[in-house]
Every structure is written in structure tokens, then in C-alpha cells.
Amino acid sequence: MIDPIFLAEAAVNGLLLGGVLALLALGLNLIFGVIDIVWIAYVDLVMICMYAVYFLVQVYGWPIWIGGLVSVGLGALLGIGVHVLIISPILGSAPVNQLLATGGLLFFLQSFATFLWTTDHRSVRLTLPTLEYGGMFLSFARLVAFAVALLVMLGLFLFLRHTYIGTAIRAVSQDREAMALMGANPRTVYVVTSAVGGALAGVAAALLIIQYSVHPFFGAAFGPLTFMICVLGGLGNMIGAFVAAFIMSEIISIHRDGLRDRLRDLHHHDLRPAGWSLREAGVSAGRVGVGVLLAALVAAPFVPMGGMRQYIFHVLIQIFVWSFIGGAWALMGRFGLVSLGHGAFLGLGAYTTTLLWNFFGLTPWLGALAAVVLTAALAVIVAYPCSRFQVIGHYFGLVTLAVGEVVRLLIIAERDWTGGSLGLTVRPAGADSLVAVQFADKRVFYYAALVLWALGLWVWHRVDRSMARSAMEAIGEDETAAASVGIHVTRFKIAITVLSAVLTAVGGIAYAQYIAYVNPDTLAGIGVSLRIVFAVVLGGMYALLGPTVGTALTIALAEVLRVVFGITYVGMAETIYGLLLIVFIIFLPSGIYGSVRDLLRRRPRSQPAAPVTA
């Protein structure tokens, strides 16, 4: 039985943590409410400010309160910089590009921080007491952070209610066009809002650094949590975010502190032994060109490659599999259903098949059927309420993001089965086996991946030529108008979501069988979800070969950067990768393949001859 003192202590600590989480959620919600863009990299800005406080206090010996003030100023500058350099150029572009631009910033900041400061955890060493009251032990640092957070939130409320610019911010968030007609400049309001949101990130950084250590992937821990709070409270709803922050913090604190003694014995192994552990089809040169391409791919294994043979096969297999996965995502993305949680379907497929084989000896062929059924069920659970309650745009993206993070956390939590964050190795069959889908010769996986890729193109083409395309395009533009002309909105949205999710799960199964290893960071969660979307957007989601082109470019780029930098400059390859993604999303919104397609199709229109007058 749980000691009531532990529960009371956990509840109080959760209340104190809620103050800082509320700051994060309010900053993100303020930016969304005014500019109508979700900053995926918001908590990574907090991470940069935390590093600033750490170096000022630990390296240069500045007082913590001065470091905190510098953090606030740095956060405001970062907020302005993000808006001017990234957000402003894409304000009129598609929502998916707006989301992914800050997602690219997330990769850039994480990788650049890794390059500069490695992955070591760094903490500010302050001598702060621990208070005891009624048998409960309370952190003085959390008490201070809670008090400062409340004061800052009170200041934000007064700023928005009793200042001219604050009133303009609230007015623009309610009606941008009307405020422009009344003389207010929305662009100025956007910049000020970004500065305020960044300043709140700086305050949160100063309060978090006295409680937690900072590392380049700090945003991976607090970012999804902040998004879930915003979704729970309602995007743009400041009061809802405030309440949701305290609810979420209580859940986290009670689970972690009040139940840790009961859960300790359940997770005593961190590592199990190995083995248990559409608008158009795109630019086409005609049937002859397609036939030549397929013939070349089929004949590729027989071409002499020297010592690079195995490596080239490995790269091509990854391109085929991830292109198939990208095409599966594009089935939803092209119709405005921007999912940021496809890692959930990818991980569910890979882990279900692997666990059934490792623990029960069930062949992956049957395990794949079970994985498909589970994935389809999860897709329906996500799609049905979102469709019924018209959860679209940014809201749909964040809901799917939360689903992906929940699946990742469940995989990590059940470490006795899944191996936790260390991953799980597929149990070896001992020899080549069709039953176990394990082969030493990479040519087998090459042809299997080639067939899988071709199957994905066929499904994409069939959807593009079906009535479902017209229906989904109508739904994507206006669900109410689509329903008024007889389109069953819910049925179509569930169908396309299930199809996309199932194909993604199949891709996850294929990848897991080829790599013979599954890991929650590479097959679930926001990281892999964003990488899928990036590749598709980079190539062009509206073209048949767009996901393939984008995937091939991203994988080739990653391999080249890895070879060039190796382990000498850890994080530099990913830094360049993230920066290039931001540049491509801003300047090539239709993707590389889509832009080339549009360029080739552009024909000069002949001008009609002027009439001859007598």
C-alpha cells in the first residue's frame, strides 16, 4: 500500500512543477493564438537559454539572478530571430510547411548544441536547502521556481490587459483583418508576440536549470509534454493551458514519486540478452522511360561494384523502404491531414512483429497480420474522434504528435519486454530462413524492398486516379461544403488514415526485419515522424515520385555528411541537414521534384494576334 505521505509529497511537488510547465504552455499558446503557427522547436529555444545560464554561472561566476535576466533577453532575441528569419517568409504557405520549418529548426538546434557542447549533462551547482514539513520533503528550488513563475504569469496577464501593445496582441489574435483596417500593424504585433513568447522561454530556462541538468536533447523530454498540455487545454486558450499544465504535472509527479517503489521491481533489467531482447502522377518520360528505370533497378545487383557492393545495397534498400513509408504518409499529407505521429504506426508494426517472434516464435508473416490489425485499430481510434469533432490543421498535427509520443513512452516503459530505450534485437534463426524472414544475402532484401517500393507507388497511383481523390480534396478545402454535397467526410477520413497507417506499419515491419533491431528513438516518436515528413515535403508530396526523390536526397545527404565528418565533429552532419531542410522548405515549398515538375510543365502561352483594322 502506498504511504499517504508519499502521495501528498508527490502532489505538492506536482503543483510546484506545474508553474514552470504553465509558463512553457502559455508562451507556446501565445504565439499560436496570435500568429497561428505552432513552434515545434519552442522548448529547444529553452534549451539554448539554459546553456547560456549554465555557462554564465558555472564558467564565468555570474550570480544566478543576472544569468536569469540574460536568459530572458536571449529568449526574446531568439524569438524575434525565429519569426523574422523563418516564420515571416512562410506566413502564407501551407500549414505543413509552417510546422516543418520550425521542426527543421529543432533538428538544427539539437545537432548544433551537440556539436558545440557534446551530449554531456550539465547542471548549475547551487546549494539550496530541502524543506521538511509534516514528513514531506520539498525542494526549495521548486518553491522558488513556482513563485517566480506565478509572478511572471501575473505580469503577462497585466501586460495583455492594461497596455496598448498587449491590447493590440489580444485584438489581432481575435481578428487580424479587422485590426489592420483600424490602423494596427499585424506584422509589428507578430514581432512583439514572438519576443514575449521567447522571453517566457528564457524565464522558463532560468527556472528549469536550477532543477534539471541541460543537454542537447532536453527538448525531447519537455517538448512533447508541452504540446500535450496545449492540446489538453486547447491551442490558443491561455486559461485552458494554465489549468492543463497543473493537471499534467500532478499526473507526472504522482506516477513518478508516489508509485516509484511499486514499479521499481518491475523494471530491474535495462537490457535483455540479444535475441530476446496527387494532383498529377508527376514528371514522366513515358512508358519507355519507366520500363528502362525498372529494368535498371532489377539488373542493378548484377552490375560489378567492387568493395562497395554491400554498402550500396544497404543504401538502396533504405531508400526503397523509407520511400515506401514516405509515400504512405503522403496519402494523408497531400489532403491536408498533416500527421506528426506516424512514428506510432511505424513502431507499432515493427515492435509487434519482433515481440511475437522473439517471445512466442510466431513467424513474421503472421506477426505482420497482427501488427496490421493493431495499427488499423489505433488509426481508427485517432481518426474517428478527430473527424467527428473536426480536429484539423495544427490541432490534428499536435494530436497525432501526442499519439506518437505516447507510443514511444509505452515502449520505453515496458522495458522487460521491449528492452526500453536500449532497444531489442530480433532473435536470430541461425541460418537463412523464409519463415523468419532472415537472409545473409542482401540481394534478397534488395528485391523485396524494390517490390515493396513498387507496391507503394501502385497504391498511390490508384488513390490518385480514384474518386477518393476528388472527395478528399473537397474535404481538405472545406469539410462543411463537402458534406453538403453528399460526401461522407468521416468515412473518407478514417479510410485514408487507416490506409496510410497500415502501409506505414508494413514499412516498419520490413525495416525491422532488415536491420534485425528495433529502437524507440528510430522507430517511434516525434523524431522519426518529422524525418518522414521532411523527406516527403523536400521531394514534393503531390507528385508520385516526390517521396522517393526526397528520401533519396536526405539519405544520400546524411551518408555523405557522415562520411565527411565521421566522429570528428559529432552533430555537424545533422546541423547541416537541419539547416538545409529549413532553406528548402522556405524557398522550395513545392519540394524539389514538385518544383522541377512545375518548371518543365510551364509553357509560354501564345498571345492572340491583334485584329487587323482597316
Side-chain angles (χ1 to χ4, degrees), residues 409-498:
L409 292 175
L410 284 175
I411 293 173
I412 294 175
E414 296 301 324
R415 65 187 69 176
D416 284 334
W417 290 83
T418 63
S421 58
L422 298 175
L424 187 70
T425 304
V426 176
R427 177 166 60 87
D432 287 357
S433 172
L434 181 62
V435 174
V437 196
Q438 296 180 18
F439 304 94
D441 192 345
K442 286 186 181 294
R443 289 178 298 181
V444 177
F445 287 106
Y446 172 84
Y447 283 118
L450 178 61
V451 171
L452 187 68
W453 172 69
L455 175 64
L457 295 181
W458 179 79
V459 172
W460 201 99
H461 179 74
R462 292 286 296 177
V463 172
D464 190 59
R465 290 293 184 266
S466 68
M467 290 297 294
R469 168 192 161 183
S470 300
M472 287 302 304
E473 285 180 344
I475 292 171
E477 293 180 4
D478 192 326
E479 290 191 10
T480 303
S484 66
V485 296
I487 297 175
H488 199 298
V489 175
T490 300
R491 182 183 301 166
F492 274 102
K493 291 179 72 172
I494 291 177
I496 202 70
T497 302
V498 170

Side-chain angles (χ1 to χ4, degrees), residues 290-565:
V290 173
V292 171
L293 174 62
L294 290 176
L297 291 175
V298 171
F302 301 98
V303 176
M305 303 178 187
M308 298 291 291
R309 183 182 188 85
Q310 296 300 315
Y311 175 73
I312 293 175
F313 277 156
H314 174 69
V315 173
L316 290 175
I317 291 169
Q318 290 197 82
I319 290 176
F320 288 143
V321 173
W322 287 103
S323 297
F324 174 82
I325 295 170
W329 180 91
L331 291 174
M332 290 178 59
R334 65 180 298 202
F335 298 122
L337 296 175
V338 180
S339 169
L340 300 180
H342 259 47
F345 309 129
L346 193 73
L348 188 59
Y351 269 91
T352 299
T353 306
T354 301
L355 291 175
L356 289 175
W357 165 254
N358 278 13
F359 289 95
F360 303 103
L362 186 65
T363 172
W365 299 102
L366 296 179
L369 295 178
V372 165
V373 172
L374 288 176
T375 303
L378 178 61
V380 172
I381 292 173
V382 173
Y384 181 76
C386 287
S387 177
R388 292 291 295 175
F389 296 104
Q390 294 189 336
V391 179
I392 58 176
H394 301 300
Y395 299 93
F396 181 80
L398 290 183
V399 167
T400 56
L401 183 150
V403 171
E405 189 63 16
V406 167
V407 171
R408 187 185 72 87
L409 292 175
L410 284 175
I411 293 173
I412 294 175
E414 296 301 324
R415 65 187 69 176
D416 284 334
W417 290 83
T418 63
S421 58
L422 298 175
L424 187 70
T425 304
V426 176
R427 177 166 60 87
D432 287 357
S433 172
L434 181 62
V435 174
V437 196
Q438 296 180 18
F439 304 94
D441 192 345
K442 286 186 181 294
R443 289 178 298 181
V444 177
F445 287 106
Y446 172 84
Y447 283 118
L450 178 61
V451 171
L452 187 68
W453 172 69
L455 175 64
L457 295 181
W458 179 79
V459 172
W460 201 99
H461 179 74
R462 292 286 296 177
V463 172
D464 190 59
R465 290 293 184 266
S466 68
M467 290 297 294
R469 168 192 161 183
S470 300
M472 287 302 304
E473 285 180 344
I475 292 171
E477 293 180 4
D478 192 326
E479 290 191 10
T480 303
S484 66
V485 296
I487 297 175
H488 199 298
V489 175
T490 300
R491 182 183 301 166
F492 274 102
K493 291 179 72 172
I494 291 177
I496 202 70
T497 302
V498 170
L499 177 61
S500 177
V502 165
L503 292 178
T504 302
V506 171
I509 295 168
Y511 185 73
Q513 291 302 127
Y514 169 64
I515 297 296
Y517 171 75
V518 290
N519 183 283
D521 292 327
T522 57
L523 287 170
I526 183 175
V528 66
S529 298
L530 287 177
R531 288 183 183 275
I532 295 171
V533 183
F534 280 145
V536 176
V537 173
L538 183 62
M541 73 173 75
Y542 300 107
L544 176 65
L545 294 178
T548 301
V549 172
T551 301
L553 287 175
T554 54
I555 291 179
L557 176 62
E559 289 297 314
V560 170
L561 293 176
R562 184 180 61 83
V563 171
V564 171
F565 293 105

Side-chain angles (χ1 to χ4, degrees), residues 182-195:
M182 296 174 63
N185 188 348
R187 294 186 178 181
T188 302
V189 175
Y190 291 166
V191 173
V192 174
T193 301
S194 299

Side-chain angles (χ1 to χ4, degrees), residues 37-41 87 90 93-105 338-340 393-398 530 534 585:
I37 290 181
V38 178
W39 288 15
I40 299 296
I87 302 300
I90 58 173
S93 64
V96 61
N97 287 355
Q98 297 173 355
L99 284 170
L100 294 179
T102 59
L105 178 63
V338 180
S339 169
L340 300 180
H394 301 300
Y395 299 93
F396 181 80
L398 290 183
L530 287 177
F534 280 145
I585 289 172

